[in-house]
Coordinates of all heavy atoms in Angstrom, one line a residue:
M4 N -7.4 4.7 -1.1 CA -7.7 3.4 -0.8 C -9.1 3.1 -0.8 O -9.6 2.2 -0.2 CB -7.0 2.9 0.4 CG -5.5 3.1 0.4 SD -4.6 2.3 1.7 CE -4.9 0.7 1.4
G5 N -9.9 3.9 -1.5 CA -11.3 3.7 -1.7 C -12.2 4.3 -0.6 O -13.4 4.2 -0.7
S6 N -11.6 4.9 0.5 CA -12.5 5.4 1.5 C -12.1 6.8 1.9 O -12.2 7.1 3.1 CB -12.5 4.4 2.7 OG -11.2 4.3 3.2
G7 N -11.5 7.6 1.1 CA -11.1 8.9 1.4 C -9.6 9.0 1.8 O -8.8 8.2 1.4
D8 N -9.3 10.1 2.6 CA -7.9 10.3 3.0 C -7.5 9.2 4.0 O -8.2 9.0 5.0 CB -7.8 11.7 3.5 CG -7.8 12.7 2.5 OD1 -7.4 12.5 1.4 OD2 -8.3 13.8 2.7
I9 N -6.3 8.6 3.7 CA -5.8 7.5 4.5 C -4.4 7.9 5.0 O -3.6 8.3 4.2 CB -5.8 6.2 3.7 CG1 -7.2 5.8 3.3 CG2 -5.2 5.1 4.5 CD1 -8.1 5.5 4.3
K10 N -4.2 7.7 6.3 CA -2.8 7.9 6.8 C -2.2 6.5 6.8 O -2.8 5.5 7.3 CB -3.0 8.4 8.3 CG -1.6 8.5 9.0 CD -1.9 9.1 10.4 CE -0.6 9.3 11.1 NZ -0.9 9.8 12.5
V11 N -1.0 6.5 6.3 CA -0.2 5.2 6.2 C 1.0 5.4 7.1 O 1.8 6.3 6.9 CB 0.3 4.9 4.8 CG1 1.0 3.6 4.7 CG2 -0.9 4.9 3.8
S12 N 1.1 4.6 8.2 CA 2.2 4.7 9.2 C 2.9 3.4 9.4 O 2.3 2.4 9.6 CB 1.5 5.1 10.5 OG 0.8 6.3 10.4
P13 N 4.2 3.4 9.3 CA 5.0 2.3 9.7 C 5.3 2.1 11.2 O 5.1 3.1 11.9 CB 6.3 2.5 9.0 CG 6.4 4.0 9.0 CD 5.1 4.5 8.9
G14 N 5.6 1.0 11.7 CA 5.8 0.9 13.1 C 6.2 -0.6 13.5 O 6.4 -1.4 12.6
L15 N 6.3 -0.9 14.7 CA 6.5 -2.1 15.3 C 5.4 -2.5 16.1 O 4.8 -1.7 16.8 CB 7.9 -2.2 16.1 CG 9.1 -1.9 15.3 CD1 10.3 -1.8 16.3 CD2 9.3 -3.0 14.3
L16 N 5.1 -3.8 16.1 CA 3.9 -4.3 16.9 C 4.4 -5.5 17.8 O 5.1 -6.4 17.3 CB 2.9 -4.8 16.0 CG 1.5 -5.4 16.6 CD1 0.8 -4.3 17.3 CD2 0.6 -5.9 15.4
Q17 N 4.2 -5.4 19.1 CA 4.7 -6.5 19.9 C 3.5 -7.5 20.2 O 2.6 -7.2 20.8 CB 5.1 -5.9 21.3 CG 5.7 -6.9 22.3 CD 6.9 -7.5 21.8 OE1 7.8 -6.9 21.3 NE2 7.0 -8.9 21.8
L18 N 3.7 -8.6 19.6 CA 2.8 -9.8 19.8 C 3.5 -10.7 20.7 O 4.1 -10.4 21.8 CB 2.4 -10.4 18.5 CG 1.6 -9.4 17.5 CD1 1.4 -10.1 16.2 CD2 0.3 -9.0 18.1
D19 N 3.5 -12.0 20.4 CA 4.3 -13.0 21.0 C 5.7 -12.8 20.6 O 6.7 -13.3 21.2 CB 3.9 -14.4 20.7 CG 2.5 -14.7 21.3 OD1 2.2 -14.0 22.3 OD2 1.8 -15.6 20.8
Y20 N 5.9 -12.1 19.6 CA 7.2 -11.8 19.0 C 7.2 -10.4 18.3 O 6.0 -10.0 18.0 CB 7.6 -12.8 17.9 CG 6.6 -13.0 16.9 CD1 6.6 -12.1 15.7 CD2 5.4 -13.9 17.0 CE1 5.6 -12.3 14.8 CE2 4.5 -14.0 16.1 CZ 4.6 -13.2 15.0 OH 3.6 -13.2 14.0
P21 N 8.3 -9.7 18.2 CA 8.1 -8.4 17.6 C 8.0 -8.5 16.1 O 8.6 -9.4 15.5 CB 9.5 -7.7 17.9 CG 10.4 -8.9 18.3 CD 9.6 -10.0 18.7
C22 N 7.1 -7.7 15.5 CA 6.9 -7.7 14.1 C 6.7 -6.3 13.6 O 6.3 -5.4 14.2 CB 5.8 -8.7 13.7 SG 4.2 -8.1 14.2
G23 N 7.1 -6.2 12.3 CA 6.9 -4.9 11.6 C 5.4 -4.7 11.2 O 4.7 -5.7 11.1
V24 N 4.9 -3.5 11.2 CA 3.5 -3.2 10.9 C 3.4 -2.0 10.0 O 4.1 -1.1 10.2 CB 2.6 -3.1 12.2 CG1 3.0 -2.0 13.0 CG2 1.1 -3.1 11.9
V25 N 2.5 -2.0 9.2 CA 2.0 -0.8 8.5 C 0.6 -0.7 8.7 O -0.2 -1.7 8.4 CB 2.3 -0.9 6.9 CG1 1.8 0.4 6.2 CG2 3.8 -1.0 6.7
V26 N 0.1 0.5 9.2 CA -1.3 0.6 9.6 C -1.9 1.7 8.6 O -1.2 2.6 8.2 CB -1.6 1.0 11.0 CG1 -1.1 0.0 11.9 CG2 -0.9 2.3 11.4
F27 N -3.2 1.6 8.3 CA -3.9 2.5 7.4 C -5.1 3.0 8.3 O -5.9 2.2 8.7 CB -4.4 1.7 6.2 CG -3.3 1.1 5.4 CD1 -2.8 -0.3 5.7 CD2 -2.7 1.7 4.4 CE1 -1.8 -0.8 5.0 CE2 -1.7 1.2 3.6 CZ -1.2 -0.1 4.0
Q28 N -5.0 4.3 8.5 CA -6.1 5.0 9.3 C -6.7 6.1 8.5 O -6.1 6.7 7.7 CB -5.5 5.6 10.6 CG -4.9 4.6 11.5 CD -4.1 5.3 12.6 OE1 -3.0 5.6 12.4 NE2 -4.8 5.5 13.7
E29 N -8.0 6.3 8.7 CA -8.7 7.4 8.1 C -8.4 8.7 8.7 O -8.2 8.8 9.9 CB -10.2 7.2 8.1 CG -10.7 6.1 7.3 CD -12.2 5.9 7.1 OE1 -12.7 7.0 6.8 OE2 -12.7 4.9 7.4
Y30 N -8.3 9.7 7.9 CA -8.0 11.1 8.4 C -9.4 11.8 8.5 O -10.4 11.5 7.8 CB -7.2 11.9 7.4 CG -5.7 11.9 7.6 CD1 -4.9 11.6 6.5 CD2 -5.2 12.3 8.8 CE1 -3.5 11.7 6.7 CE2 -3.8 12.4 8.9 CZ -3.0 12.1 7.9 OH -1.6 12.1 8.1
D31 N -9.5 12.7 9.4 CA -10.7 13.5 9.6 C -10.9 14.6 8.5 O -11.9 15.0 8.2 CB -10.8 14.1 11.0 CG -11.0 13.1 12.0 OD1 -11.5 12.0 11.8 OD2 -10.6 13.4 13.2
E32 N -9.8 15.0 8.0 CA -9.7 16.1 6.9 C -8.7 15.8 5.8 O -7.8 14.9 6.1 CB -9.4 17.4 7.6 CG -8.2 17.4 8.4 CD -8.0 18.6 9.3 OE1 -9.0 18.9 10.0 OE2 -7.0 19.4 9.1
A33 N -8.8 16.4 4.7 CA -7.9 16.2 3.6 C -6.6 16.7 3.9 O -6.4 17.7 4.6 CB -8.5 16.9 2.4
R34 N -5.6 15.9 3.5 CA -4.1 16.2 3.7 C -3.4 16.0 2.4 O -3.9 15.3 1.6 CB -3.5 15.3 4.8 CG -4.2 15.3 6.1 CD -3.3 16.2 7.0 NE -3.5 16.2 8.4 CZ -4.5 15.9 9.3 NH1 -5.5 15.4 8.8 NH2 -4.4 16.0 10.5
P35 N -2.4 16.8 2.1 CA -1.6 16.5 0.9 C -1.0 15.1 0.9 O -0.5 14.6 1.9 CB -0.4 17.6 1.0 CG -0.9 18.6 2.0 CD -1.8 17.8 3.0
I36 N -1.0 14.5 -0.3 CA -0.5 13.1 -0.4 C 1.1 13.2 -0.2 O 1.7 14.1 -0.8 CB -0.8 12.5 -1.8 CG1 -2.3 12.4 -1.9 CG2 0.0 11.2 -2.0 CD1 -2.8 11.9 -3.2
G37 N 1.6 12.3 0.6 CA 3.0 12.2 0.7 C 3.6 13.1 1.8 O 4.8 13.1 2.1
K38 N 2.8 14.0 2.4 CA 3.3 14.9 3.4 C 3.5 14.0 4.7 O 2.6 13.5 5.2 CB 2.4 16.0 3.7 CG 2.9 17.0 4.7 CD 1.9 18.2 4.8 CE 2.6 19.2 5.9 NZ 1.8 19.3 7.0
W39 N 4.7 14.1 5.2 CA 5.0 13.4 6.5 C 4.6 14.3 7.7 O 4.8 15.5 7.7 CB 6.5 13.2 6.6 CG 6.8 12.4 7.8 CD1 6.8 11.0 8.1 CD2 7.2 12.9 9.2 NE1 7.1 10.7 9.3 CE2 7.3 11.9 10.0 CE3 7.4 14.2 9.6 CZ2 7.7 12.0 11.4 CZ3 7.7 14.4 10.9 CH2 7.9 13.3 11.8
E40 N 3.9 13.6 8.5 CA 3.5 14.3 9.8 C 3.8 13.4 11.0 O 3.7 12.2 10.9 CB 2.0 14.5 9.8 CG 1.5 15.5 8.7 CD 0.0 15.7 8.8 OE1 -0.7 15.2 9.7 OE2 -0.5 16.4 7.9
P41 N 4.4 14.0 12.1 CA 4.7 13.2 13.2 C 3.4 12.6 13.8 O 2.3 13.1 13.7 CB 5.3 14.2 14.2 CG 4.9 15.5 13.7 CD 4.6 15.4 12.2
N42 N 3.6 11.4 14.3 CA 2.5 10.6 14.9 C 2.6 10.9 16.4 O 3.6 10.5 17.1 CB 2.5 9.1 14.6 CG 1.3 8.5 14.9 OD1 0.3 9.0 15.5 ND2 1.2 7.3 14.4
D43 N 1.5 11.5 17.0 CA 1.6 11.9 18.4 C 1.1 10.7 19.2 O 1.2 10.8 20.5 CB 0.7 13.1 18.6 CG -0.7 12.9 18.2 OD1 -1.0 12.0 17.5 OD2 -1.6 13.8 18.6
R44 N 0.8 9.6 18.6 CA 0.3 8.5 19.5 C 1.2 7.3 19.2 O 1.6 7.0 18.1 CB -1.2 8.1 19.1 CG -2.1 9.3 19.4 CD -3.5 8.9 19.2 NE -3.9 7.7 20.0 CZ -4.9 6.9 19.6 NH1 -5.6 7.2 18.5 NH2 -5.2 5.9 20.3
K45 N 1.5 6.6 20.3 CA 2.3 5.4 20.2 C 1.5 4.1 19.9 O 2.0 3.2 19.3 CB 3.1 5.2 21.5 CG 4.1 6.4 21.8 CD 5.2 6.5 20.9 CE 6.2 7.6 21.3 NZ 7.0 8.0 20.3
V46 N 0.3 4.1 20.4 CA -0.6 3.0 20.4 C -2.0 3.4 19.9 O -2.5 4.4 20.4 CB -0.6 2.2 21.7 CG1 -1.6 1.0 21.6 CG2 0.7 1.8 22.2
A47 N -2.5 2.7 18.9 CA -3.8 3.1 18.5 C -4.8 1.9 18.8 O -4.3 0.7 18.8 CB -3.8 3.3 16.9
A48 N -5.9 2.2 19.0 CA -6.9 1.2 19.4 C -7.2 0.3 18.1 O -7.1 0.9 17.0 CB -8.2 1.8 19.9
P49 N -7.5 -1.0 18.2 CA -7.7 -1.7 17.0 C -8.7 -1.2 16.1 O -8.6 -1.3 14.9 CB -8.1 -3.1 17.6 CG -7.5 -3.2 18.9 CD -7.5 -1.8 19.4
E50 N -9.8 -0.6 16.6 CA -10.9 -0.1 15.7 C -10.4 1.1 14.9 O -11.0 1.5 13.9 CB -12.1 0.3 16.5 CG -12.0 1.2 17.7 CD -11.6 0.6 19.0 OE1 -11.2 -0.6 19.1 OE2 -11.6 1.4 20.0
E51 N -9.3 1.8 15.4 CA -8.7 2.9 14.6 C -7.9 2.5 13.5 O -7.5 3.3 12.7 CB -7.9 3.8 15.6 CG -8.9 4.4 16.6 CD -8.1 5.2 17.6 OE1 -6.8 5.3 17.4 OE2 -8.6 5.8 18.5
T52 N -7.5 1.2 13.5 CA -6.6 0.7 12.4 C -7.2 -0.6 11.8 O -6.7 -1.7 12.0 CB -5.2 0.4 12.9 OG1 -5.3 -0.5 13.9 CG2 -4.5 1.7 13.4
P53 N -8.3 -0.5 11.1 CA -9.0 -1.6 10.6 C -8.2 -2.4 9.5 O -8.5 -3.6 9.4 CB -10.3 -1.1 10.0 CG -10.0 0.4 9.7 CD -9.0 0.8 10.7
V54 N -7.3 -1.8 8.9 CA -6.5 -2.5 8.0 C -5.0 -2.4 8.5 O -4.4 -1.3 8.6 CB -6.5 -1.8 6.6 CG1 -5.7 -2.6 5.6 CG2 -8.0 -1.9 6.1
R55 N -4.3 -3.5 8.6 CA -2.9 -3.6 9.0 C -2.2 -4.7 8.1 O -2.8 -5.6 7.8 CB -2.8 -4.0 10.4 CG -3.3 -3.1 11.4 CD -3.0 -3.7 12.8 NE -4.0 -3.1 13.7 CZ -4.0 -3.4 15.0 NH1 -3.2 -4.2 15.5 NH2 -4.9 -2.8 15.7
M56 N -1.0 -4.3 7.8 CA -0.1 -5.4 7.3 C 1.0 -5.6 8.3 O 1.7 -4.7 8.7 CB 0.5 -4.8 5.9 CG -0.5 -4.4 4.9 SD 0.2 -3.5 3.5 CE 1.2 -4.8 2.8
T57 N 1.0 -6.8 8.7 CA 2.1 -7.2 9.7 C 3.1 -8.1 9.0 O 2.8 -8.9 8.2 CB 1.5 -7.8 10.9 OG1 0.8 -9.0 10.6 CG2 0.5 -6.9 11.7
F58 N 4.3 -8.0 9.5 CA 5.5 -8.7 8.9 C 6.3 -9.3 10.0 O 6.7 -8.6 10.9 CB 6.3 -7.9 8.0 CG 5.5 -7.2 7.0 CD1 5.0 -5.8 7.2 CD2 5.3 -7.7 5.7 CE1 4.3 -5.3 6.2 CE2 4.5 -7.0 4.7 CZ 4.0 -5.8 4.9
D59 N 6.7 -10.5 9.9 CA 7.6 -11.1 10.8 C 9.0 -11.5 10.1 O 9.9 -11.9 10.7 CB 7.1 -12.3 11.6 CG 6.7 -13.5 10.7 OD1 6.6 -13.4 9.4 OD2 6.5 -14.6 11.3
K60 N 9.0 -11.3 8.7 CA 10.3 -11.5 8.0 C 10.5 -10.3 7.0 O 9.5 -9.8 6.4 CB 10.1 -12.7 7.1 CG 10.0 -14.0 7.9 CD 10.1 -15.2 7.0 CE 10.3 -16.4 7.8 NZ 9.1 -17.2 8.2
I61 N 11.7 -9.8 7.0 CA 12.0 -8.6 6.2 C 11.8 -9.0 4.7 O 11.2 -8.1 4.0 CB 13.5 -8.3 6.4 CG1 13.7 -7.7 7.7 CG2 13.9 -7.3 5.3 CD1 15.2 -7.4 8.1
E62 N 12.0 -10.2 4.3 CA 11.7 -10.6 2.9 C 10.3 -10.4 2.5 O 10.0 -10.1 1.3 CB 12.2 -12.0 2.7 CG 13.6 -12.3 2.9 CD 14.0 -12.6 4.3 OE1 13.1 -12.5 5.2 OE2 15.2 -12.7 4.6
S63 N 9.3 -10.6 3.4 CA 8.0 -10.4 3.2 C 7.7 -8.9 2.8 O 6.8 -8.6 1.9 CB 7.1 -10.8 4.3 OG 7.3 -12.1 4.6
I64 N 8.4 -8.0 3.5 CA 8.2 -6.5 3.2 C 8.7 -6.3 1.7 O 8.1 -5.5 1.0 CB 9.0 -5.7 4.2 CG1 8.3 -5.9 5.6 CG2 8.9 -4.2 3.8 CD1 9.0 -5.2 6.7
D65 N 9.9 -6.9 1.4 CA 10.4 -6.8 0.0 C 9.3 -7.2 -1.1 O 9.2 -6.6 -2.1 CB 11.6 -7.6 -0.1 CG 12.8 -7.1 0.7 OD1 12.8 -5.8 1.0 OD2 13.7 -7.8 1.0
V66 N 8.6 -8.2 -0.8 CA 7.6 -8.7 -1.7 C 6.5 -7.6 -1.9 O 6.1 -7.3 -3.0 CB 7.0 -10.1 -1.3 CG1 5.7 -10.4 -2.1 CG2 8.0 -11.2 -1.3
V67 N 6.1 -7.0 -0.8 CA 5.0 -6.0 -0.9 C 5.6 -4.8 -1.6 O 4.8 -4.2 -2.4 CB 4.5 -5.7 0.6 CG1 3.6 -4.5 0.5 CG2 3.8 -6.9 1.1
I68 N 6.8 -4.4 -1.3 CA 7.4 -3.3 -2.0 C 7.5 -3.6 -3.5 O 7.1 -2.7 -4.4 CB 8.8 -3.0 -1.4 CG1 8.8 -2.4 -0.1 CG2 9.7 -2.1 -2.4 CD1 10.1 -2.4 0.7
W69 N 7.9 -4.8 -3.9 CA 7.9 -5.1 -5.3 C 6.5 -5.0 -5.9 O 6.3 -4.4 -7.0 CB 8.5 -6.5 -5.5 CG 8.3 -7.0 -6.9 CD1 9.1 -6.7 -7.9 CD2 7.2 -7.7 -7.5 NE1 8.6 -7.2 -9.1 CE2 7.4 -7.8 -8.8 CE3 5.9 -8.2 -6.9 CZ2 6.5 -8.5 -9.7 CZ3 5.1 -8.8 -7.8 CH2 5.3 -9.0 -9.2
A70 N 5.5 -5.5 -5.2 CA 4.1 -5.5 -5.7 C 3.6 -4.1 -5.9 O 2.9 -3.7 -6.9 CB 3.2 -6.3 -4.8
L71 N 3.9 -3.2 -5.0 CA 3.5 -1.8 -5.1 C 4.2 -1.1 -6.2 O 3.6 -0.3 -6.9 CB 3.8 -1.1 -3.7 CG 2.9 -1.5 -2.5 CD1 3.5 -0.9 -1.3 CD2 1.5 -1.1 -2.8
Q72 N 5.5 -1.4 -6.4 CA 6.3 -0.8 -7.5 C 5.8 -1.2 -8.8 O 5.7 -0.5 -9.8 CB 7.8 -1.1 -7.4 CG 8.4 -0.3 -6.2 CD 9.9 -0.7 -6.0 OE1 10.2 -1.8 -6.2 NE2 10.7 0.2 -5.5
E73 N 5.4 -2.5 -8.9 CA 4.9 -3.1 -10.1 C 3.5 -2.5 -10.4 O 3.2 -2.1 -11.6 CB 4.7 -4.6 -10.0 CG 4.4 -5.3 -11.3 CD 5.4 -5.2 -12.4 OE1 6.5 -4.7 -12.2 OE2 5.0 -5.6 -13.5
A74 N 2.6 -2.3 -9.4 CA 1.4 -1.7 -9.6 C 1.5 -0.2 -10.1 O 0.8 0.2 -11.0 CB 0.5 -1.7 -8.3
K75 N 2.5 0.5 -9.6 CA 2.8 1.8 -9.9 C 3.3 1.9 -11.4 O 2.8 2.7 -12.2 CB 4.0 2.4 -9.1 CG 4.3 3.8 -9.4 CD 5.4 4.3 -8.5 CE 5.9 5.7 -8.8 NZ 6.9 6.2 -7.9
R76 N 4.2 0.9 -11.8 CA 4.6 0.8 -13.2 C 3.5 0.5 -14.1 O 3.3 1.2 -15.2 CB 5.7 -0.3 -13.4 CG 6.3 -0.4 -14.7 CD 7.0 -1.7 -14.9 NE 6.2 -2.9 -14.9 CZ 5.3 -3.3 -15.9 NH1 5.3 -2.6 -17.0 NH2 4.7 -4.4 -15.7
M77 N 2.5 -0.4 -13.7 CA 1.4 -0.7 -14.6 C 0.4 0.4 -14.7 O -0.3 0.5 -15.7 CB 0.7 -1.9 -14.0 CG 1.6 -3.2 -14.0 SD 0.9 -4.6 -13.2 CE -0.3 -5.1 -14.3
M78 N 0.4 1.3 -13.7 CA -0.6 2.5 -13.9 C 0.0 3.6 -14.7 O -0.7 4.5 -15.0 CB -0.9 3.0 -12.4 CG -1.7 2.1 -11.7 SD -2.1 2.7 -10.0 CE -3.1 4.2 -10.4
S79 N 1.3 3.5 -15.2 CA 1.7 4.6 -16.0 C 0.9 4.5 -17.3 O 0.5 3.6 -17.7 CB 3.2 4.3 -16.3 OG 3.5 3.3 -17.1
E80 N 0.8 5.7 -17.8 CA -0.1 5.9 -19.0 C 0.3 4.9 -20.1 O -0.6 4.2 -20.7 CB -0.1 7.3 -19.5 CG -1.1 7.6 -20.6 CD -1.1 9.0 -21.0 OE1 -0.8 9.9 -20.1 OE2 -1.5 9.3 -22.1
E81 N 1.5 4.8 -20.5 CA 1.9 4.0 -21.6 C 1.5 2.5 -21.4 O 1.0 1.8 -22.1 CB 3.4 4.1 -21.8 CG 3.9 3.2 -23.0 CD 5.4 3.3 -23.1 OE1 6.0 4.4 -22.8 OE2 6.0 2.4 -23.7
T82 N 1.9 2.1 -20.1 CA 1.6 0.6 -19.7 C 0.1 0.4 -19.7 O -0.4 -0.6 -20.1 CB 2.3 0.3 -18.5 OG1 3.8 0.5 -18.6 CG2 2.1 -1.2 -18.1
W83 N -0.6 1.4 -19.0 CA -2.0 1.2 -18.9 C -2.7 1.0 -20.2 O -3.5 0.1 -20.4 CB -2.6 2.4 -18.2 CG -4.0 2.4 -17.8 CD1 -5.0 3.0 -18.4 CD2 -4.6 1.6 -16.8 NE1 -6.2 2.8 -17.8 CE2 -6.0 1.9 -16.8 CE3 -4.1 0.7 -15.9 CZ2 -6.9 1.3 -15.9 CZ3 -5.0 0.1 -15.0 CH2 -6.3 0.4 -15.1
Q84 N -2.4 1.8 -21.2 CA -2.9 1.7 -22.5 C -2.6 0.4 -23.2 O -3.4 -0.3 -23.8 CB -2.4 2.8 -23.5 CG -3.0 4.2 -23.0 CD -4.5 4.3 -23.0 OE1 -5.2 3.7 -23.9 NE2 -5.1 4.9 -22.0
T85 N -1.4 -0.1 -23.0 CA -0.9 -1.3 -23.5 C -1.8 -2.5 -22.9 O -2.1 -3.4 -23.6 CB 0.6 -1.6 -23.3 OG1 1.3 -0.5 -23.8 CG2 1.1 -2.9 -23.9
L86 N -2.0 -2.5 -21.6 CA -2.7 -3.5 -21.0 C -4.2 -3.5 -21.4 O -4.8 -4.6 -21.4 CB -2.6 -3.3 -19.4 CG -1.3 -3.6 -18.8 CD1 -1.4 -3.1 -17.3 CD2 -0.9 -5.1 -18.9
L87 N -4.7 -2.4 -21.8 CA -6.1 -2.4 -22.2 C -6.3 -2.8 -23.7 O -7.3 -3.3 -24.0 CB -6.7 -0.9 -22.1 CG -6.8 -0.4 -20.6 CD1 -7.2 1.0 -20.5 CD2 -7.8 -1.4 -19.9
E88 N -5.2 -2.8 -24.4 CA -5.4 -3.1 -25.8 C -5.5 -4.7 -25.9 O -4.7 -5.4 -25.3 CB -4.2 -2.6 -26.7 CG -4.2 -1.1 -26.7 CD -2.9 -0.7 -27.4 OE1 -2.1 -1.5 -27.9 OE2 -2.7 0.6 -27.5
Q89 N -6.4 -5.2 -26.8 CA -6.5 -6.6 -26.9 C -5.5 -7.0 -28.1 O -5.4 -6.2 -29.0 CB -7.9 -6.9 -27.4 CG -8.9 -6.7 -26.3 CD -8.7 -7.6 -25.1 OE1 -8.4 -8.7 -25.2 NE2 -8.9 -6.9 -23.9
P90 N -4.9 -8.2 -28.0 CA -4.0 -8.6 -29.1 C -4.9 -8.8 -30.4 O -6.0 -9.3 -30.3 CB -3.5 -9.9 -28.6 CG -4.2 -10.3 -27.4 CD -5.0 -9.2 -26.9
K91 N -4.3 -8.3 -31.5 CA -5.0 -8.4 -32.8 C -4.5 -9.6 -33.5 O -3.4 -9.8 -33.7 CB -4.7 -7.1 -33.6 CG -5.3 -5.8 -32.9 CD -4.9 -4.6 -33.7 CE -5.3 -3.4 -32.9 NZ -5.0 -2.1 -33.5
E92 N -5.5 -10.5 -33.8 CA -5.1 -11.7 -34.6 C -5.7 -11.5 -36.0 O -6.9 -11.2 -36.1 CB -5.7 -12.9 -33.9 CG -5.1 -13.2 -32.6 CD -5.8 -14.3 -31.9 OE1 -6.6 -15.0 -32.4 OE2 -5.4 -14.5 -30.7
A93 N -5.0 -11.8 -37.0 CA -5.5 -11.7 -38.4 C -6.3 -12.9 -38.6 O -6.0 -14.1 -38.3 CB -4.3 -11.7 -39.3
A94 N -7.5 -12.6 -39.2 CA -8.5 -13.7 -39.5 C -8.0 -14.6 -40.6 O -7.4 -14.2 -41.6 CB -9.8 -13.1 -39.9
G95 N -8.0 -15.9 -40.4 CA -7.6 -16.9 -41.4 C -6.1 -17.1 -41.5 O -5.7 -17.9 -42.3
D96 N -5.3 -16.5 -40.7 CA -3.9 -16.8 -40.7 C -3.6 -18.0 -39.8 O -4.1 -18.2 -38.8 CB -3.1 -15.6 -40.1 CG -3.1 -14.4 -41.0 OD1 -3.4 -14.6 -42.1 OD2 -2.6 -13.3 -40.5
E97 N -2.8 -18.9 -40.4 CA -2.3 -20.0 -39.6 C -0.9 -20.3 -39.9 O -0.4 -20.1 -40.9 CB -3.1 -21.3 -40.0 CG -4.5 -21.1 -39.5 CD -5.3 -22.4 -39.6 OE1 -4.8 -23.5 -39.0 OE2 -6.4 -22.5 -40.1

């Protein structure tokens, strides 16, 4: 995410109402991507989670999942090359 190794953790956040949360925290050392590790802390200080996505509707999570899947699809080599190519227009054709 542009700042080194990042831990991505799901959870619940109690505000005036319960809401889902995904927090992004920096790791002190490199870890394998996608390796699940238990979280030994139940509550993190706000300064430890500078980036959070909070949700109060399940449908909002679906939208983020869709956007992430679409970004993944767009990053595939074939699609990436297609996106970089400019449409070719024949000169003088009408």
Side-chain angles (χ1 to χ4, degrees):
M4 300 188 66
S6 62
D8 287 326
I9 301 292
K10 177 181 183 179
V11 181
S12 304
L15 295 174
L16 183 63
Q17 181 67 44
L18 299 172
D19 292 336
Y20 53 90
C22 67
V24 64
V25 176
V26 297
F27 302 86
Q28 297 171 274
E29 290 189 51
Y30 268 128
D31 294 334
E32 56 190 54
R34 302 261 197 332
I36 294 174
K38 180 178 184 243
W39 182 86
E40 294 183 4
N42 196 348
D43 58 345
R44 298 189 52 207
K45 301 289 184 201
V46 178
E50 60 271 10
E51 294 176 4
T52 60
V54 178
R55 292 182 205 181
M56 298 170 65
T57 59
F58 306 92
D59 61 350
K60 293 187 169 98
I61 293 173
E62 296 84 1
S63 299
I64 296 173
D65 291 335
V66 170
V67 173
I68 290 169
W69 172 84
L71 291 169
Q72 289 174 329
E73 186 66 7
K75 180 179 176 181
R76 183 193 66 77
M77 293 171 80
M78 287 179 68
S79 72
E80 187 174 332
E81 180 182 336
T82 304
W83 186 252
Q84 291 302 319
T85 303
L86 290 172
L87 292 176
E88 293 174 3
Q89 297 294 321
K91 298 176 183 174
E92 297 176 5
D96 286 349
E97 290 193 52

